[in-house]
Amino acid sequence: MRLTKYLFLIFFGIMLTLCSTVNAQKQPKEIKIKNLLLESLAQEFTPDREVRIDLVEFPPDTLLDWHWHPGEEFHYYLEGEVEIQIEGQPPIIGKPGMLGHVPFKVKHRAVTHVKGAKVLVFRVHTKGEPWKYDFDEHHK
């Protein structure tokens, strides 16, 4: 009886540890976005547009959900590796020194694996719009 009780406690402890480890892995990882510049463009040049430059840091094993931007998006990959999946186009595998482009209002997402990534994002953006729209909330 006593051996059964100890075996049950050991089994329970192992299961509790496994469940907490799996739960910790499912926690969303924080993507850091630091805005470096937000500046309106001249009305006579391109009305109602602004430039947004952001430094984006993706942790390892990150999946950024499908979304789109109200602007043209250009990337300069600084560190690590990130896969940019773009609807209707081959993915971009962003590595340091490479450039990438996501067209206006095109659905895309970012995926990192073992390495995280640091990306400089330059966007010509529709003035007054949010920086991104999640695809589930606002279909284009």
Side-chain angles (χ1 to χ4, degrees):
M1 177 79 168
R2 201 164 201 195
L3 179 61
T4 305
K5 187 186 239 183
Y6 286 121
L7 287 175
F8 174 76
L9 288 174
I10 291 169
F11 176 76
F12 182 74
I14 291 170
M15 293 306 292
L16 186 61
T17 302
L18 285 174
C19 288
S20 64
T21 301
V22 168
N23 192 34
Q25 290 173 346
K26 290 183 180 180
Q27 295 296 322
K29 303 202 171 153
E30 184 178 340
I31 298 169
K32 295 179 186 173
I33 301 170
K34 180 179 180 183
N35 180 255
L36 304 175
L37 178 75
L38 180 59
E39 189 75 35
S40 294
L41 295 172
Q43 281 292 109
E44 58 274 5
F45 172 62
T46 183
D48 301 319
R49 296 289 185 268
E50 59 192 8
V51 171
R52 245 191 111 92
I53 300 176
D54 295 318
L55 181 61
V56 182
E57 294 183 58
F58 297 94
D61 300 314
T62 299
L63 173 64
L64 182 60
D65 290 332
W66 289 103
H67 63 282
W68 58 272
H69 301 282
E72 292 280 331
E73 183 176 84
F74 303 90
H75 306 153
Y76 180 68
Y77 303 100
L78 299 167
E79 295 177 12
E81 184 173 312
V82 60
E83 178 180 353
I84 307 297
Q85 299 172 353
I86 304 170
E87 183 176 57
Q89 295 183 22
I92 299 167
I93 306 300
K95 296 179 182 181
M98 292 179 59
L99 298 169
H101 171 241
V102 178
F104 182 61
K105 290 189 175 181
V106 172
K107 183 172 91 167
H108 63 286
R109 69 180 178 174
V111 181
T112 65
H113 301 290
V114 176
K115 296 179 181 180
K118 190 181 284 188
V119 182
L120 188 63
V121 179
F122 174 91
R123 191 176 300 116
V124 179
H125 185 86
T126 305
K127 195 172 186 176
E129 293 283 330
W131 75 276
K132 81 174 179 81
Y133 289 97
D134 293 326
F135 189 73
D136 292 339
E137 295 176 14
H138 297 92
H139 299 289
K140 64 175 192 166

